[in-house]
Structure formats: C-alpha cells, structure tokens
Amino acid sequence: MAQARIFADFADAAADGCLRLSARATVDDVRRLGVQLRPGLVLALSDGQRMALAQVVDCEACGARHARLLSEPAAVELR
C-alpha cells in the first residue's frame, strides 16, 4: 500500500531544515487526509518530483505550522 504524501514546497525550507506547512496545497492535503499536525508526527512530504520525511515541531509557533526535514528531499518516481 502506498504511503499518503502531503505536498510541501521544499524551496520554502529554512537553512536549518525547518519547513512551513502553510502552503495552500499542503493545507488541502492535510485536511483531505484528516491528519492532525501534532509535534512529533512524522510526515511523508512531496513536491511532485522529490520526497522527504519531516517531523512536525511547534505546531502553532508564530501562527504557522512547521516541520523539520529528517532527510534531504530525494528524487522519486511518483505514481
């Protein structure tokens, strides 16, 4: 079974690997999948060409949801 992927704009990642999860497509995927973004949750993120794992941190920090990349986004063949 394929793992559910959530859209992420990897170009929006900070130098420390922190990525905002506030892009419209990200919010739509989270809502569609019924995911509750809580600190510690590990997500499979994809921009349509690359995929990476990230862990949710400080869900409500600065009014935006964030995740820290656990790996560099890697090219994958998405079906």
Side-chain angles (χ1 to χ4, degrees):
M1 182 163 107
Q3 181 177 11
R5 295 180 182 108
I6 294 173
F7 174 81
D9 181 1
F10 295 124
D12 197 27
D16 66 357
C18 193
L19 179 68
R20 285 182 287 192
L21 301 175
S22 56
R24 182 68 187 172
T26 304
V27 172
D28 289 346
D29 282 352
V30 166
R31 184 176 297 125
R32 178 181 51 83
L33 295 168
V35 174
Q36 291 185 353
L37 297 177
R38 295 184 178 153
L41 178 66
V42 175
L43 304 171
L45 302 176
S46 173
D47 65 0
Q49 297 176 346
R50 300 173 293 162
M51 186 173 153
L53 294 177
Q55 187 170 35
V56 176
V57 294
D58 297 326
C59 272
E60 300 300 330
C62 303
R65 301 180 192 287
H66 293 82
R68 183 153 323 274
L69 293 173
L70 299 175
S71 62
E72 289 293 317
V76 293
E77 183 178 323
L78 301 175
R79 298 179 187 178

